Amino acid sequence: MTETPPRRRAPGMTPEHRRAMIVAAALPLVAEYGAAITTSQIARAAGIGEATIFRAFKDKDEVLDACVTEAVNPDHVLRELASIPLDQPLPVRLSDAAEAIRAHLERMGTVVGSLHASGHRRDRSPADRPPPGSREQSMRVVREAVTDLIEPDRAALRLEPEKLASIFLGMLFTRLHFASADTEPTSEDLVDVLLHGSLDDSRSAT
């Protein structure tokens, strides 16, 4: 009689993967409930036992801090920008970029704002704080990614792609902070103004 070989157990998650899985499950809950979220809610969303959270994180505050770090991390939006085909027309490229960046900024603002509004203002040690210039570094890499999207049309532009990318990002941030529901321009509106201005050529010609 042939013996059935013992089944091999699937390799367990690395600590880094486990932390990333927990943060991914926690992010939408943190955006909705802020610091009021419980570790039991996070565990249910992640499909794990609550004790698993405390094997990956010291406490709930550390989970919340990891959620903030993930929300502001530009890696996801950089992948989105890199996936935009360069053979598309420039207005289409920039409209797609605007939507990707808008989604990133809204997620970041929702998570950070929800935590702040619910009283999460943990005083972190210097070792836990973001390194100096990290915000500027994030903005720089996003601006470089947008510049790469504009670069194929350099010869047709009056401004350098680097300068146009800075103006483009400034317009996006202004829309996020100041536009109201009834006046918010679409991504296509912003790109049209950026590339063609706001004057009606048919009127200015008369």
Side-chain angles (χ1 to χ4, degrees), residues 82-169:
S83 71
I84 297 174
L86 294 179
D87 58 356
Q88 290 184 333
L90 180 58
V92 176
R93 272 178 268 151
L94 289 178
S95 292
D96 288 348
E99 287 303 304
I101 295 169
R102 177 195 59 77
H104 170 66
L105 293 175
E106 286 187 354
R107 183 176 77 153
M108 178 171 60
T110 299
V111 170
V112 174
S114 182
L115 286 173
H116 183 79
S118 58
H120 181 70
R121 299 179 179 84
R122 187 181 181 196
D123 292 328
R124 292 181 288 182
S125 68
D128 293 329
R129 292 171 188 155
S134 59
R135 180 181 176 87
E136 290 77 10
Q137 168 69 6
S138 295
M139 286 302 306
R140 184 181 64 80
V141 295
V142 171
R143 185 172 61 250
E144 288 175 352
V146 174
T147 300
D148 289 342
L149 288 175
I150 299 172
E151 183 63 38
D153 288 80
R154 175 185 286 269
L157 300 170
R158 290 191 297 111
L159 297 177
E160 296 292 313
E162 296 82 1
K163 183 174 291 187
L164 201 61
S166 294
I167 296 172
F168 175 71
L169 291 174

Side-chain angles (χ1 to χ4, degrees), residues 199-206:
L199 289 176
D200 184 337
D201 290 338
S202 62
R203 291 178 178 272
S204 60
T206 59

Side-chain angles (χ1 to χ4, degrees), residues 186-199:
T186 66
S187 295
E188 290 76 13
D189 291 334
L190 291 181
V191 172
D192 186 58
V193 170
L194 177 72
L195 297 179
H196 306 295
S198 58
L199 289 176

